[in-house]
Amino acid sequence: MREIDDFGRFICRYQADLFEYSAKQLVASKDFVKKYAYSNLAERMDDRGFWFEAIDVPQAFSEMQTIKAKKKISIYRSDVIRWIGYIYRYICYIYEKPMKEVYKRISPQELYDVFDAYHSLDNELAIKRILEAKCLDFEKKRRHRNDKTNIWNVMR
C-alpha cells in the first residue's frame, strides 16, 4: 500500500469531478461507472501516464460516449456519485489496482449503500471499513499458477 500524495489527490478529485459531471448530464450512474471502469480513460488513469494529458472533464466525458438515462431514478445525487468516484480512485491509487479490478469487487451500489455512514469519515478509514465488510484484502499478493506453494502443486 502506498501513501496518497499530491498527484493521487489530484486524480481522485478529477475522477470525482467526472462522476459528478455524469450525474449532471443525466446519465444512469451504475451504467456510467461500469462503462468508465472498462474504458481507456480509466486505464490511462491507472497508469501514471495520465500526468501528461491535458484533458478537462467535459472532454473526458465526451470520450466515454455515454447514453442519457431514461429514468431519473437510476441517477445518484451528485454528492453521492462524486464520493463514489473519489473512493474508487483512492482505492486504485493506494493499492495500485486497476479500476476494472476494484469495480469487479466493489459495486457502485455497495458504495451508494454506505455513503451516509462513511462519507464523513477519513478516506482511508472508510476504505478500511468497506474492505473489512466485504472480507477483501487488496494487499495480499496473488499466487501465480506455477508458484511452488500453490495448493495444487503440493497435492501432486
Side-chain angles (χ1 to χ4, degrees), residues 19-147:
F19 278 42
E20 183 178 24
Y21 189 81
S22 75
K24 290 177 181 176
Q25 297 300 310
L26 304 178
V27 174
S29 297
K30 290 180 196 175
D31 297 339
F32 174 79
V33 174
K34 182 177 183 178
K35 187 166 188 164
Y36 172 77
Y38 290 91
S39 72
N40 288 332
L41 179 61
E43 284 181 22
R44 293 194 320 263
M45 287 183 77
D46 292 337
D47 299 334
R48 291 188 82 98
F50 192 74
W51 279 17
F52 306 106
E53 291 190 35
I55 182 171
D56 65 0
V57 171
Q59 285 175 314
F61 182 78
S62 67
E63 183 179 309
M64 300 286 302
Q65 299 176 348
T66 52
I67 300 168
K68 290 191 176 190
K70 293 179 182 165
K71 295 181 181 176
K72 195 168 174 88
I73 253 176
S74 64
I75 301 170
Y76 297 158
R77 288 187 344 246
S78 59
D79 61 330
V80 176
I81 193 70
R82 180 178 180 76
W83 180 79
I84 289 171
Y86 196 94
I87 289 296
Y88 267 133
R89 182 50 55 189
Y90 203 101
I91 294 169
C92 293
Y93 191 79
I94 64 173
Y95 290 109
E96 301 180 60
K97 298 291 181 191
M99 178 65 187
K100 251 187 267 193
E101 183 178 339
V102 176
Y103 172 80
K104 286 178 186 176
R105 294 179 176 207
I106 305 169
S107 75
Q109 183 63 47
E110 291 167 322
L111 292 177
Y112 177 84
D113 291 342
V114 299
F115 172 78
D116 288 331
Y118 293 171
H119 80 279
S120 60
L121 296 177
D122 174 68
N123 294 317
E124 290 187 22
L125 179 58
I127 290 166
K128 180 181 176 191
R129 289 188 179 176
I130 292 164
L131 297 180
E132 283 175 355
K134 293 193 55 69
C135 299
L136 293 175
D137 186 0
F138 283 125
E139 291 188 76
K140 285 185 179 177
K141 302 274 188 215
R142 281 189 172 171
R143 291 187 195 161
H144 189 271
R145 77 170 69 179
N146 294 329
D147 187 352

